[in-house]
mmCIF file of all heavy atoms in Angstrom:
data_model
loop_
_atom_site.group_PDB
_atom_site.id
_atom_site.type_symbol
_atom_site.label_atom_id
_atom_site.label_comp_id
_atom_site.label_asym_id
_atom_site.label_seq_id
_atom_site.Cartn_x
_atom_site.Cartn_y
_atom_site.Cartn_z
ATOM 1 N N ARG A 26 92.036 197.487 69.217
ATOM 2 C CA ARG A 26 90.971 196.824 68.352
ATOM 3 C C ARG A 26 89.604 197.027 69.084
ATOM 4 O O ARG A 26 88.473 197.174 68.498
ATOM 5 C CB ARG A 26 91.268 195.263 68.142
ATOM 6 C CG ARG A 26 92.488 195.194 67.224
ATOM 7 C CD ARG A 26 92.505 193.586 66.787
ATOM 8 N NE ARG A 26 93.618 193.350 65.892
ATOM 9 C CZ ARG A 26 94.736 192.852 66.372
ATOM 10 N NH1 ARG A 26 95.040 192.774 67.614
ATOM 11 N NH2 ARG A 26 95.679 192.659 65.402
ATOM 12 N N LYS A 29 88.435 200.419 68.157
ATOM 13 C CA LYS A 29 87.878 200.399 66.718
ATOM 14 C C LYS A 29 86.376 199.862 66.858
ATOM 15 O O LYS A 29 85.508 200.316 66.147
ATOM 16 C CB LYS A 29 88.739 199.489 65.922
ATOM 17 C CG LYS A 29 88.462 199.662 64.434
ATOM 18 C CD LYS A 29 89.462 198.936 63.608
ATOM 19 C CE LYS A 29 88.934 198.812 62.175
ATOM 20 N NZ LYS A 29 89.677 197.824 61.362
ATOM 21 N N GLN A 33 82.874 202.005 65.909
ATOM 22 C CA GLN A 33 81.819 201.561 64.925
ATOM 23 C C GLN A 33 80.404 201.558 65.620
ATOM 24 O O GLN A 33 79.471 201.059 64.841
ATOM 25 C CB GLN A 33 82.233 200.238 64.293
ATOM 26 C CG GLN A 33 83.406 200.294 63.480
ATOM 27 C CD GLN A 33 83.826 198.997 63.000
ATOM 28 O OE1 GLN A 33 83.594 197.981 63.651
ATOM 29 N NE2 GLN A 33 84.453 198.810 61.845
ATOM 30 N N PHE A 96 85.180 190.051 67.577
ATOM 31 C CA PHE A 96 85.802 190.564 66.344
ATOM 32 C C PHE A 96 87.195 191.064 66.447
ATOM 33 O O PHE A 96 88.057 191.169 65.548
ATOM 34 C CB PHE A 96 84.863 191.578 65.629
ATOM 35 C CG PHE A 96 85.260 191.882 64.293
ATOM 36 C CD1 PHE A 96 84.789 191.164 63.197
ATOM 37 C CD2 PHE A 96 86.118 192.942 63.954
ATOM 38 C CE1 PHE A 96 85.239 191.344 61.894
ATOM 39 C CE2 PHE A 96 86.495 193.301 62.539
ATOM 40 C CZ PHE A 96 85.980 192.464 61.603
ATOM 41 N N PHE A 99 91.440 188.085 65.435
ATOM 42 C CA PHE A 99 91.392 187.663 64.107
ATOM 43 C C PHE A 99 90.031 187.900 63.459
ATOM 44 O O PHE A 99 89.434 187.035 62.743
ATOM 45 C CB PHE A 99 91.639 186.078 64.028
ATOM 46 C CG PHE A 99 92.981 185.729 64.749
ATOM 47 C CD1 PHE A 99 93.042 184.805 65.803
ATOM 48 C CD2 PHE A 99 94.204 186.103 64.059
ATOM 49 C CE1 PHE A 99 94.190 184.545 66.315
ATOM 50 C CE2 PHE A 99 95.379 185.685 64.630
ATOM 51 C CZ PHE A 99 95.401 184.917 65.882
ATOM 52 N N GLY A 100 89.480 188.966 63.655
ATOM 53 C CA GLY A 100 88.184 189.350 63.057
ATOM 54 C C GLY A 100 87.093 188.324 63.401
ATOM 55 O O GLY A 100 86.098 188.208 62.639
ATOM 56 N N SER A 102 87.113 185.371 63.349
ATOM 57 C CA SER A 102 87.218 184.181 62.318
ATOM 58 C C SER A 102 87.145 182.950 63.120
ATOM 59 O O SER A 102 87.794 182.748 64.182
ATOM 60 C CB SER A 102 88.138 184.370 61.298
ATOM 61 O OG SER A 102 89.418 184.483 61.966
ATOM 62 N N GLY A 132 84.458 187.479 60.617
ATOM 63 C CA GLY A 132 84.987 187.488 59.199
ATOM 64 C C GLY A 132 84.871 186.152 58.604
ATOM 65 O O GLY A 132 85.374 185.913 57.541
ATOM 66 N N GLY A 133 84.223 185.159 59.272
ATOM 67 C CA GLY A 133 84.004 183.783 58.580
ATOM 68 C C GLY A 133 85.012 182.824 58.973
ATOM 69 O O GLY A 133 85.773 182.903 59.989
ATOM 70 N N ALA A 134 85.289 181.917 58.049
ATOM 71 C CA ALA A 134 86.260 180.882 58.253
ATOM 72 C C ALA A 134 87.733 181.456 58.505
ATOM 73 O O ALA A 134 88.061 182.404 57.683
ATOM 74 C CB ALA A 134 86.369 179.986 57.023
ATOM 75 N N ARG A 135 88.467 180.984 59.447
ATOM 76 C CA ARG A 135 89.746 181.507 59.669
ATOM 77 C C ARG A 135 90.581 181.075 58.386
ATOM 78 O O ARG A 135 90.884 179.882 58.353
ATOM 79 C CB ARG A 135 90.391 181.070 61.017
ATOM 80 C CG ARG A 135 91.636 181.841 61.166
ATOM 81 C CD ARG A 135 92.085 181.913 62.621
ATOM 82 N NE ARG A 135 91.105 182.327 63.535
ATOM 83 C CZ ARG A 135 91.205 182.145 64.860
ATOM 84 N NH1 ARG A 135 92.228 181.527 65.394
ATOM 85 N NH2 ARG A 135 90.275 182.550 65.641
ATOM 86 N N ILE A 136 90.956 181.957 57.597
ATOM 87 C CA ILE A 136 91.542 181.570 56.351
ATOM 88 C C ILE A 136 92.852 180.731 56.553
ATOM 89 O O ILE A 136 93.035 179.795 55.739
ATOM 90 C CB ILE A 136 91.895 182.866 55.568
ATOM 91 C CG1 ILE A 136 90.599 183.512 55.200
ATOM 92 C CG2 ILE A 136 92.622 182.599 54.301
ATOM 93 C CD1 ILE A 136 90.684 185.006 54.697
ATOM 94 N N GLN A 137 93.595 180.931 57.635
ATOM 95 C CA GLN A 137 94.867 180.272 57.805
ATOM 96 C C GLN A 137 94.539 178.744 58.132
ATOM 97 O O GLN A 137 95.441 177.903 58.003
ATOM 98 C CB GLN A 137 95.619 180.998 58.965
ATOM 99 C CG GLN A 137 96.113 182.325 58.633
ATOM 100 C CD GLN A 137 95.126 183.417 59.149
ATOM 101 O OE1 GLN A 137 93.834 183.101 59.192
ATOM 102 N NE2 GLN A 137 95.592 184.589 59.665
ATOM 103 N N LEU A 143 86.436 174.800 57.979
ATOM 104 C CA LEU A 143 85.061 174.314 57.362
ATOM 105 C C LEU A 143 84.496 173.133 58.182
ATOM 106 O O LEU A 143 83.374 173.132 58.410
ATOM 107 C CB LEU A 143 85.316 173.872 55.867
ATOM 108 C CG LEU A 143 85.874 174.865 54.933
ATOM 109 C CD1 LEU A 143 85.849 174.422 53.528
ATOM 110 C CD2 LEU A 143 85.062 176.208 55.036
ATOM 111 N N TYR A 146 82.852 174.483 61.096
ATOM 112 C CA TYR A 146 81.450 174.989 60.868
ATOM 113 C C TYR A 146 80.486 173.824 60.899
ATOM 114 O O TYR A 146 79.449 173.844 61.403
ATOM 115 C CB TYR A 146 81.391 175.642 59.561
ATOM 116 C CG TYR A 146 81.765 177.154 59.694
ATOM 117 C CD1 TYR A 146 82.892 177.633 59.076
ATOM 118 C CD2 TYR A 146 80.861 178.019 60.353
ATOM 119 C CE1 TYR A 146 83.287 179.019 59.153
ATOM 120 C CE2 TYR A 146 81.207 179.420 60.432
ATOM 121 C CZ TYR A 146 82.304 179.900 59.783
ATOM 122 O OH TYR A 146 82.658 181.136 60.000
ATOM 123 N N PHE A 150 77.010 173.079 62.544
ATOM 124 C CA PHE A 150 75.730 172.933 61.859
ATOM 125 C C PHE A 150 74.994 171.654 62.334
ATOM 126 O O PHE A 150 73.760 171.663 62.540
ATOM 127 C CB PHE A 150 75.918 172.731 60.283
ATOM 128 C CG PHE A 150 76.616 173.912 59.654
ATOM 129 C CD1 PHE A 150 77.174 173.766 58.502
ATOM 130 C CD2 PHE A 150 76.503 175.186 60.247
ATOM 131 C CE1 PHE A 150 77.745 174.880 57.834
ATOM 132 C CE2 PHE A 150 77.089 176.259 59.617
ATOM 133 C CZ PHE A 150 77.710 176.123 58.335
ATOM 134 N N PRO A 169 79.742 191.346 60.688
ATOM 135 C CA PRO A 169 79.633 190.424 59.526
ATOM 136 C C PRO A 169 79.232 189.064 59.767
ATOM 137 O O PRO A 169 79.519 188.522 60.797
ATOM 138 C CB PRO A 169 81.189 190.493 59.087
ATOM 139 C CG PRO A 169 81.898 191.428 59.860
ATOM 140 C CD PRO A 169 81.007 191.790 61.111
ATOM 141 N N ALA A 171 79.232 186.113 56.922
ATOM 142 C CA ALA A 171 79.223 185.867 55.462
ATOM 143 C C ALA A 171 79.694 184.410 55.021
ATOM 144 O O ALA A 171 80.217 183.725 55.920
ATOM 145 C CB ALA A 171 80.227 186.866 54.822
ATOM 146 N N GLY A 172 79.503 184.069 53.814
ATOM 147 C CA GLY A 172 79.821 182.751 53.217
ATOM 148 C C GLY A 172 78.936 181.725 54.039
ATOM 149 O O GLY A 172 77.857 181.952 54.524
ATOM 150 N N GLY A 173 79.535 180.537 54.088
ATOM 151 C CA GLY A 173 78.751 179.419 54.686
ATOM 152 C C GLY A 173 78.493 179.748 56.157
ATOM 153 O O GLY A 173 77.639 179.041 56.771
ATOM 154 N N ALA A 174 79.039 180.727 56.672
ATOM 155 C CA ALA A 174 78.907 180.968 58.146
ATOM 156 C C ALA A 174 77.405 181.347 58.393
ATOM 157 O O ALA A 174 77.002 181.294 59.476
ATOM 158 C CB ALA A 174 79.765 182.140 58.576
ATOM 159 N N TYR A 192 75.609 192.413 58.526
ATOM 160 C CA TYR A 192 75.203 191.985 57.242
ATOM 161 C C TYR A 192 75.376 190.532 57.133
ATOM 162 O O TYR A 192 76.270 189.899 57.796
ATOM 163 C CB TYR A 192 75.885 192.737 56.255
ATOM 164 C CG TYR A 192 77.393 192.702 56.338
ATOM 165 C CD1 TYR A 192 78.092 191.636 55.692
ATOM 166 C CD2 TYR A 192 78.125 193.656 56.747
ATOM 167 C CE1 TYR A 192 79.530 191.624 55.711
ATOM 168 C CE2 TYR A 192 79.625 193.734 56.807
ATOM 169 C CZ TYR A 192 80.103 192.657 56.336
ATOM 170 O OH TYR A 192 81.586 192.581 56.315
HETATM 171 C C1 HXC B 601 91.430 185.341 59.392
HETATM 172 C C2 HXC B 601 90.649 187.482 59.420
HETATM 173 C C3 HXC B 601 89.455 186.980 58.730
HETATM 174 C C4 HXC B 601 89.433 185.671 58.239
HETATM 175 C C5 HXC B 601 89.242 189.135 59.180
HETATM 176 N N1 HXC B 601 90.408 188.777 59.708
HETATM 177 N N2 HXC B 601 88.668 188.022 58.508
HETATM 178 N N3 HXC B 601 91.629 186.680 59.714
HETATM 179 N N4 HXC B 601 90.418 184.929 58.776
HETATM 180 N N5 HXC B 601 88.324 185.263 57.541
HETATM 181 C C6 HXC B 601 91.292 189.689 60.423
HETATM 182 C C7 HXC B 601 91.986 190.670 59.634
HETATM 183 O O1 HXC B 601 93.139 190.130 58.949
HETATM 184 C C8 HXC B 601 92.294 191.776 60.583
HETATM 185 O O2 HXC B 601 93.515 191.396 61.374
HETATM 186 C C9 HXC B 601 91.234 191.643 61.546
HETATM 187 O O3 HXC B 601 90.608 190.358 61.321
HETATM 188 C C10 HXC B 601 90.156 192.740 61.256
HETATM 189 O O4 HXC B 601 89.829 192.619 59.913
HETATM 190 P P1 HXC B 601 89.773 193.991 58.908
HETATM 191 O O5 HXC B 601 89.711 193.502 57.634
HETATM 192 O O6 HXC B 601 90.776 194.943 59.505
HETATM 193 O O7 HXC B 601 88.351 194.563 59.477
HETATM 194 P P2 HXC B 601 87.208 195.344 58.647
HETATM 195 O O8 HXC B 601 88.001 196.393 57.755
HETATM 196 O O9 HXC B 601 86.169 195.743 59.592
HETATM 197 O O10 HXC B 601 86.690 194.304 57.566
HETATM 198 C C11 HXC B 601 85.897 193.168 58.006
HETATM 199 C C12 HXC B 601 85.726 192.007 56.895
HETATM 200 C C13 HXC B 601 87.084 191.702 56.261
HETATM 201 C C14 HXC B 601 84.839 192.733 55.877
HETATM 202 C C15 HXC B 601 85.049 190.882 57.556
HETATM 203 O O11 HXC B 601 88.005 191.438 57.348
HETATM 204 C C16 HXC B 601 86.958 190.483 55.457
HETATM 205 O O12 HXC B 601 86.538 190.611 54.158
HETATM 206 N N6 HXC B 601 87.458 189.413 55.904
HETATM 207 C C17 HXC B 601 87.480 188.182 55.151
HETATM 208 C C18 HXC B 601 86.126 187.637 55.041
HETATM 209 C C19 HXC B 601 86.110 186.299 54.147
HETATM 210 O O13 HXC B 601 86.308 186.304 52.966
HETATM 211 N N7 HXC B 601 86.041 185.305 55.039
HETATM 212 C C20 HXC B 601 85.923 183.915 54.495
HETATM 213 C C21 HXC B 601 84.558 183.832 53.939
HETATM 214 S S1 HXC B 601 84.205 182.125 53.463
HETATM 215 P P3 HXC B 601 94.356 192.406 62.094
HETATM 216 O O14 HXC B 601 95.467 191.612 62.620
HETATM 217 O O15 HXC B 601 94.782 193.373 60.965
HETATM 218 O O16 HXC B 601 93.536 193.033 63.177
HETATM 219 C C22 HXC B 601 83.679 181.454 54.853
HETATM 220 C C23 HXC B 601 83.304 180.027 54.563
HETATM 221 C C24 HXC B 601 82.511 179.549 55.732
HETATM 222 O O17 HXC B 601 83.588 181.944 55.885
HETATM 223 C C25 HXC B 601 82.157 178.137 55.294
HETATM 224 C C26 HXC B 601 81.197 177.509 56.272
HETATM 225 C C27 HXC B 601 80.692 176.185 55.721
#
Side-chain angles (χ1 to χ4, degrees):
R26 292 192 181 94
K29 193 176 164 196
Q33 291 174 331
F96 194 81
F99 302 116
S102 59
R135 189 162 309 162
I136 295 163
Q137 299 91 329
L143 302 187
Y146 274 113
F150 298 159
Y192 55 85

